[in-house]
Amino acid sequence: MEEAEVLQLYELSYPDLVLVSSNNVSLSSAEELEKLQSTSKAIMEALGPMGPGLLSITGVPNAAALRRDLLPLARELALLNPNHLKTILKDHKLGSDVPLKNPERNVSSFAMQIKYSHDFDETQLNSEHGSTVEFENLGNGFRELGFCMMELGLQLARVCDRAIGGNELEQSLLESCTAKARLIHYHSPIDKTILVKEAMSTKRTSKRPFNSSGEQIGDEHKQLSGIGSDNLWQQWHYDYGIFTVLTAPMFLLPNSAQEATEEKDEECPYPNGHTYLQIFDPIKNNVFMVKASPESFIVQVGESADIISRGKLRATLHSVARPSKFENLSRETFVVFLQPAWNKSFSITEYPMKLGMSTEIKEVDEPEQSRLTEEIQKIVPPLALRLKDGMTFADFSRETTKQYYGGTGSQSNR
């Protein structure tokens, strides 16, 4: 398949987000009022049913430093000896949603639940654990950057609520009390070589074979084959929360092609200037490669926001592609999933339920686009088959996971 067209995201400056989301706006001129109205309109156009369902936020104070400190740790953690890694994760109250013992995995993920209350006391390490110096601020880094991203999501939810009416989006986030943060390392072939070599070395002193079934994360998603799977780090899916807030990714080139060294990996410019986050636009029936500035945040709409807003926001169908001509690069990012409380119930009486992507797609003559659409439809179960009136978010997330990846799920055997 040819490389996707490029989508330059709408860039929302942080000062403008603060202005438009403030509860105490004091406008001294018609010019400021016009600025507020035009910014709110642009946000809803980007996140609404005719937009791409995502935007970027730039100029967030201290964000560049927090990103630069945390993201390189993703690869360092992924390549640690499993026993050492276990200790580090325990020290910092981190877990994982992927089988880190699998040396042939495509993705490594390190996760933490972060409270909406801005409290860092819990992250202070017990000195007797003796955590490695390079990871000494890992837990606090998670919470500090994560809380910053949660605040961005709350501010954006407030803006959307005002445009839609009511305050259900913001209130749903606050009632959940926590959000899930993930530090994600997308492996290069070099990383796999290092991990397999380590596993084989361990195997010589142990009778237990290593597991070679590939998996990855992505809102509880496994890595599965399917359309363009050889060129995807992460398969096509919708996130089922309200907003997904991501750092713009960082691409790293290891200093050694054969082994992990103490030298720091080299940060590289974006391959072809792209983030390699892809979205499928059902209105244009086409795939777009997302372009965003390296120090920005990307905010995507999830299915819960689509439902709660009664279709005034549009969930983003997306995947993560591999840069085929830059295969030695790894990709690092930090993601915060903002979800409603598990007991949040959904009413769909006023929601324009979509029976499948085909109800949104215009007829096109290009056979390549038609094939792409058909293949994506096969692996993304329609919302109408996963959502029932009165269903709680817990039930919806469970049914979504089941239909994507359960024993009879559309991607279970791919």
Side-chain angles (χ1 to χ4, degrees):
M1 187 174 70
E2 295 182 3
E3 188 170 288
E5 293 183 36
V6 176
L7 171 67
Q8 177 66 58
L9 293 184
Y10 164 63
E11 290 190 344
L12 171 64
S13 75
Y14 180 71
D16 285 349
L17 174 60
V18 172
L19 172 68
V20 77
S21 65
S22 174
N23 290 322
N24 300 301
V25 178
S26 178
L27 301 175
S28 59
S29 67
E31 183 178 342
E32 289 180 336
L33 176 60
E34 183 180 352
K35 175 71 170 178
L36 186 148
Q37 292 175 336
S38 64
T39 301
S40 179
K41 180 181 178 182
I43 290 171
M44 293 306 294
E45 287 178 348
L47 303 183
M50 300 304 291
L54 69 170
L55 53 73
S56 67
I57 301 175
T58 61
V60 179
N62 204 32
L66 291 172
R67 171 185 177 273
R68 190 166 54 248
D69 290 343
L70 185 60
L71 264 57
L73 298 183
R75 183 173 189 266
E76 293 181 34
L77 286 168
L79 299 183
L80 282 179
N81 173 279
N83 292 329
H84 187 193
L85 174 61
K86 185 178 179 180
T87 299
I88 296 293
L89 297 183
K90 182 179 179 181
D91 281 350
H92 294 276
K93 298 181 173 65
L94 296 176
S96 179
D97 353 63
V98 297
L100 296 175
K101 291 182 180 180
N102 172 19
E104 296 185 285
R105 62 188 184 271
N106 289 321
V107 173
S108 293
S109 164
F110 309 98
M112 174 189 283
Q113 292 287 344
I114 303 180
K115 297 178 181 179
Y116 276 96
S117 58
H118 198 11
D119 180 8
F120 292 102
D121 290 341
E122 296 181 22
T123 65
Q124 300 303 319
L125 287 178
N126 186 332
S127 59
E128 68 184 32
H129 288 177
S131 187
T132 313
V133 172
E134 63 187 315
F135 298 115
E136 63 182 355
N137 200 42
L138 178 62
N140 279 335
F142 252 78
R143 276 190 168 85
E144 193 169 359
L145 184 54
F147 187 82
C148 169
M149 294 161 71
M150 292 161 72
E151 280 293 300
L152 296 178
L154 283 173
Q155 290 171 309
L156 204 54
R158 195 175 306 139
V159 174
C160 293
D161 276 335
R162 288 175 182 167
I164 295 165
N167 67 338
E168 194 171 1
L169 288 169
E170 183 182 9
Q171 192 61 33
S172 295
L173 292 178
L174 291 173
E175 288 174 354
S176 71
C177 297
T178 64
K180 189 168 190 176
R182 292 192 181 117
L183 180 62
I184 305 173
H185 169 64
Y186 295 89
H187 292 223
S188 69
I190 291 173
D191 298 330
K192 282 192 176 184
T193 299
I194 294 170
L195 289 170
V196 170
K197 182 179 178 181
E198 171 70 22
M200 293 300 293
S201 176
T202 303
K203 185 180 177 183
R204 295 190 191 103
T205 60
S206 172
K207 295 182 179 180
R208 295 183 62 185
F210 62 80
N211 177 15
S212 61
S213 59
E215 296 187 9
Q216 77 162 29
I217 61 88
D219 230 2
E220 275 44 273
H221 292 168
K222 294 180 181 178
Q223 171 67 21
L224 302 148
S225 59
I227 180 166
S229 60
D230 291 342
N231 297 317
L232 293 183
W233 262 315
Q234 187 172 20
Q235 186 55 269
W236 289 100
H237 68 282
Y238 291 100
D239 291 342
Y240 51 71
I242 290 180
F243 289 135
T244 302
V245 186
L246 313 91
T247 62
M250 176 183 290
F251 289 90
L252 296 178
L253 181 66
N255 282 303
S256 171
Q258 297 299 324
E259 59 184 33
T261 70
E262 294 182 0
E263 296 180 26
K264 295 296 182 182
D265 299 323
E266 177 187 354
E267 181 179 355
C268 296
Y270 284 1
N272 299 318
H274 304 157
T275 64
Y276 280 81
L277 170 67
Q278 295 185 133
I279 70 162
F280 181 82
D281 188 330
I283 303 300
K284 298 178 179 178
N285 192 31
N286 203 1
V287 172
F288 291 87
M289 188 79 73
V290 173
K291 189 172 185 179
S293 59
E295 295 181 349
S296 65
F297 292 98
I298 298 171
V299 183
Q300 295 179 173
V301 175
E303 289 182 308
S304 291
D306 195 325
I307 298 162
I308 291 171
S309 70
R310 298 174 295 282
K312 293 182 174 63
L313 299 175
R314 191 182 78 192
T316 314
L317 179 58
H318 60 284
S319 65
V320 179
R322 296 175 183 270
S324 57
K325 295 180 181 179
F326 304 86
E327 65 174 15
N328 287 336
L329 294 183
S330 66
R331 185 180 187 271
E332 327 299 323
T333 191
F334 185 69
V335 184
V336 175
F337 296 96
L338 304 180
Q339 302 179 159
W342 292 110
N343 62 356
K344 167 72 176 177
S345 61
F346 293 134
S347 172
I348 60 174
T349 54
E350 298 179 21
Y351 178 67
M353 182 68 76
K354 303 174 182 66
L355 298 176
M357 293 196 309
S358 59
T359 61
E360 302 178 275
I361 293 172
K362 297 178 181 179
E363 291 295 327
V364 293
D365 296 326
E366 292 83 349
E368 183 67 19
Q369 289 186 5
S370 297
R371 185 187 71 84
L372 173 64
T373 300
E374 291 174 2
E375 289 298 319
I376 292 178
Q377 282 181 309
K378 291 177 184 177
I379 61 176
V380 178
L383 182 60
L385 299 182
R386 297 181 277 118
L387 178 66
K388 302 293 185 292
D389 194 38
M391 178 179 273
T392 65
F393 175 67
D395 292 334
F396 172 60
S397 61
R398 190 179 302 115
E399 185 62 27
T400 294
T401 302
K402 176 184 175 182
Q403 291 201 29
Y404 269 102
Y405 311 114
T408 59
S410 57
Q411 296 189 26
S412 60
N413 295 316
R414 287 177 168 271

